[in-house]
């Protein structure tokens, strides 16, 4: 009789933080960059949704006849149409493939600062795309049920605060260290929860 494998449960601890000074500036800077990524990905999703009907029709025709088919004003062979058809999705997986090339691009913030997307943690960027894909899936589900509240995710203003997720961090001496722009570490002091004990001490004991 096989022994049951033990499964470990991971706990999540909420920690209030104080964003002040340099740390606040760096977090807000990251938020602006990630908001640009959201807008880029949203634009790509809308492009895919707009061309999807024509590509699907041309792909079906080429598949049935074994001959090239017209999509728009261009003639494509079956192989090209198959590749285009596979890139129509707005799921987190398909957007992660898109991110590979998007990370080589340089964005320009409103104040003229230029930022290469590959200088920001790819984990944070994938989390933004996961949330965008989830918003589209929610929209499609509501629309399928004829829900009048169905609304596609839209573009965001640069000052919109983008929720961030870090897959790696460390806590030392009451300071939370998280990856920032261009591989730098952002130092965020953790807010004390009791008079003589810091939240950093509390979390260190819980995590270890």
């Amino acid at each position: 009789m096989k022994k049951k494998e033990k499964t470990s449960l991971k706990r999540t601890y909420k920690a209030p933080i104080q964003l002040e000074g340099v740390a606040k500036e760096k977090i807000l800077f990251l938020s602006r960059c990630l908001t640009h990524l959201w807008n880029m990905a949203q634009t790509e999703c809308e492009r895919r949704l707009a061309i999807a009907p024509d590509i699907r029709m041309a792909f079906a025709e080429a598949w049935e006849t074994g001959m090239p088919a017209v999509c728009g004003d261009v003639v494509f062979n079956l192989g090209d149409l198959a590749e285009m058809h596979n890139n129509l999705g707005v799921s987190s997986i398909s957007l992660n493939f898109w991110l590979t090339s998007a990370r080589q691009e340089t964005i320009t913030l409103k104040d003229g600062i230029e930022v290469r997307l590959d200088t920001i943690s790819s984990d944070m960027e994938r989390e933004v795309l996961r949330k965008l894909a989830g918003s589209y899936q929610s929209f499609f589900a509501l629309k399928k049920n004829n829900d009048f509240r169905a609304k596609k995710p839209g573009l965001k203003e640069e000052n919109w605060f983008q929720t961030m997720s870090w897959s790696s961090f460390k806590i030392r001496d009451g300071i939370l260290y998280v990856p920032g722009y261009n591989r730098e570490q952002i130092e965020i002091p953790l807010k004390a929860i009791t008079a003589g004990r810091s939240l950093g001490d509390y979390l260190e004991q819980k995590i270890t």
Side-chain angles (χ1 to χ4, degrees):
M1 184 176 178
K2 291 185 178 180
K3 293 183 179 180
K4 289 185 178 180
E5 296 183 359
K6 293 183 178 180
T7 57
S8 59
L9 298 178
K10 295 182 179 180
R11 292 184 178 179
T12 300
Y13 299 95
K14 292 183 178 180
I17 61 175
Q18 294 174 322
L19 286 178
E20 299 174 342
V22 175
K24 182 177 180 179
E25 293 178 3
K26 291 180 178 180
I27 290 293
L28 292 178
F29 178 78
L30 275 180
S31 175
R32 294 166 63 196
C33 296
L34 293 174
T35 299
H36 267 266
L37 176 64
W38 170 287
N39 289 341
M40 288 171 58
Q42 190 271 351
T43 301
E44 172 62 15
C45 288
E46 289 300 306
R47 184 192 70 82
R48 294 181 180 188
L49 293 174
I51 64 176
D54 289 341
I55 291 179
R56 290 194 178 103
M57 185 179 298
F59 175 70
E61 179 184 339
W63 180 268
E64 183 177 352
T65 64
M67 300 292 291
V70 177
C71 182
D73 297 327
V74 183
V75 177
F76 295 96
N77 59 39
L78 180 59
D80 291 335
L81 287 170
E83 183 177 355
M84 294 164 64
H85 185 271
N86 291 334
N87 291 330
L88 289 179
V90 292
S91 67
S92 58
I93 295 177
S94 64
L95 289 178
N96 281 336
F97 282 113
W98 167 83
L99 180 62
T100 302
S101 58
R103 277 175 58 79
Q104 305 305 314
E105 297 188 25
T106 299
I107 60 174
T108 303
L109 304 180
K110 283 186 177 180
D111 53 11
I113 297 178
E114 295 186 346
V115 180
R116 277 182 60 94
L117 288 176
D118 60 2
T119 58
I120 300 173
S121 167
S122 59
D123 288 339
M124 297 177 68
E125 293 175 335
R126 281 194 290 268
E127 183 64 17
V128 170
L129 300 184
R130 185 188 69 80
K131 292 174 181 175
L132 176 62
S135 295
Y136 270 104
Q137 297 308 315
S138 177
F139 162 74
F140 293 138
L142 290 173
K143 187 176 180 181
K144 184 177 181 180
N145 293 327
N146 297 317
D147 194 318
F148 67 91
R149 296 171 298 175
K151 185 178 180 181
K152 287 194 292 186
L155 301 175
K156 299 181 183 295
E157 293 292 332
E158 188 178 285
N159 60 355
W160 173 276
F161 186 77
Q162 192 71 242
T163 303
M164 302 177 203
S165 299
W166 286 275
S167 60
S168 62
F169 64 91
K170 62 183 178 181
I171 301 172
R172 187 173 64 243
D173 299 327
I175 303 294
L176 172 65
Y177 296 85
V178 295
Y181 167 68
N182 206 18
R183 298 183 180 180
E184 67 176 350
Q185 290 287 311
I186 301 177
E187 302 178 10
I188 305 174
L190 295 173
K191 187 178 181 180
I193 55 174
T194 61
R197 188 183 184 196
S198 71
L199 182 60
D201 293 336
Y202 171 77
L203 289 180
E204 283 178 345
Q205 293 174 5
K206 288 290 184 181
I207 292 173
T208 56

